[in-house]
Amino acid sequence: MKRIELFSCPMDVATGRETVELIRNRVEARQFTQHVVVNAAKVVHMQRDIVLAASIRACDIINIDGMGVVWAARMLGVDVPERVAGVDLFDDLLAMAAECGFPVFLLGATSEVVQATAETIGGRHPRLIVAGYHHGYFWDDEPAIVEKIGASGARLLFVAITSPKKENFIDRWRAQLGVDFVMGVGGTFDVVAGKVRRAPVWMQRYGLEWLYRVIQEPGRMWRRYLTTNLQFAGLLLKAILRMPRRQVH
């Protein structure tokens, strides 16, 4: 696994399997690990949000999620083996946690969604220990939630809160969480609980998951994706124009 810089954003070039094995080894060694996935929107927001940028740079593992970022890296000459989608990595890590006996804690989404997520993953992975869960609306008493997580005995923590709140929360409390691994998973709980459908595989392969989200939630998503996708395209164009012509792929 090697780390690269793309538009001032650090990223680890790795496969999903390599990532899971690295996390397993670090958890077994009780080596705290903060993980994040980056997509086009997150790369764009990092350019002007210095707190978010610092939170991401503090992470131990930074995977590439979003085919747009994968394609951009390849166009700039970086050999990216595959996209490591957060929702897929989440399920792979649950399988690993069940196999190794690592308890997990779920934090985020609504009360109904996080409960449904806990029940669903328990059905998928019968040996999995869900040490606890809590909804994502706790900002009036963050210390109490941090204490609850620490008292649960969880080894892995998954945080399903929107960016940049989740990255900043994790970075702010990392020393007090009492877990060995923490990962922001965005809207993954909504997908697992069945509230939001995931895009068909062919749309995932062609980098069109964002379009599928817009189709499902046009009022909330179209402006966000249009704006960030255009800004990301602008970053890529500037980077290409700065390259020696013979290096452009």
Side-chain angles (χ1 to χ4, degrees):
M1 182 181 295
K2 67 176 181 178
R3 179 157 292 189
I4 63 168
E5 286 272 341
L6 189 69
F7 311 136
S8 301
C9 177
M11 303 177 190
D12 289 311
V13 178
T15 64
R17 179 177 296 180
E18 290 170 339
T19 302
V20 172
E21 285 305 306
L22 176 59
I23 293 168
R24 180 203 299 267
N25 293 336
R26 290 176 67 100
V27 173
E28 287 177 342
R30 293 279 185 172
Q31 186 177 5
F32 179 79
T33 302
Q34 183 177 349
H35 175 278
V36 68
V37 293
V38 293
N39 54 22
K42 204 166 293 183
V43 171
V44 167
H45 293 319
M46 280 185 67
Q47 310 305 308
R48 59 179 179 270
D49 188 334
I50 60 174
V51 177
L52 173 63
S55 297
I56 291 175
R57 288 185 174 277
C59 292
D60 304 286
I61 303 174
I62 308 170
N63 282 133
I64 301 177
D65 190 356
M67 285 304 300
V69 182
V70 172
W71 291 333
R74 290 172 179 170
M75 290 178 69
L76 296 173
V78 180
D79 183 18
V80 179
E82 66 181 19
R83 168 196 180 200
V84 181
V87 64
D88 295 328
L89 183 59
F90 173 68
D91 195 58
D92 290 342
L93 289 173
L94 292 178
M96 182 272 289
E99 178 185 343
C100 296
F102 299 146
V104 304
F105 194 102
L106 309 177
L107 177 66
T110 64
S111 296
E112 295 77 14
V113 167
V114 71
Q115 180 178 347
T117 300
E119 293 170 354
T120 299
I121 65 176
R124 289 180 184 174
H125 308 282
R127 296 169 56 191
L128 181 67
I129 303 169
V130 179
Y133 56 86
H134 195 280
H135 62 74
Y137 302 91
F138 55 83
W139 302 108
D140 56 339
D141 197 0
E142 289 185 42
I145 297 303
V146 172
E147 183 178 353
K148 179 177 181 179
I149 295 167
S152 72
R155 302 281 299 276
L156 284 77
L157 168 65
F158 298 98
V159 183
I161 299 171
T162 57
S163 293
K165 284 187 174 181
K166 66 174 177 293
E167 289 85 5
N168 296 339
F169 169 80
I170 293 169
D171 189 53
R172 185 162 56 246
W173 294 103
R174 55 184 290 165
Q176 290 81 39
L177 292 169
V179 298
D180 300 313
F181 172 82
V182 58
M183 172 185 177
V185 294
T188 294
F189 292 179
D190 287 336
V191 174
V192 175
K195 180 181 177 181
V196 173
R197 296 188 306 277
R198 193 175 181 192
V201 173
W202 71 267
M203 295 188 80
Q204 297 175 38
R205 290 174 179 166
Y206 287 97
L208 295 173
E209 279 190 284
W210 65 271
L211 178 59
Y212 196 76
R213 287 296 306 278
V214 171
I215 293 172
Q216 291 187 81
E217 301 178 87
R220 190 168 74 91
M221 292 294 179
W222 77 268
R223 188 185 302 275
R224 187 179 88 179
Y225 280 116
L226 177 64
T227 301
T228 55
N229 285 354
L230 287 175
Q231 290 176 337
F232 184 80
L235 291 172
L236 176 59
L237 179 60
K238 290 178 182 178
I240 291 175
L241 292 176
R242 287 196 298 264
M243 293 174 63
R245 184 170 298 274
R246 67 178 180 275
Q247 293 183 19
V248 179
H249 294 270

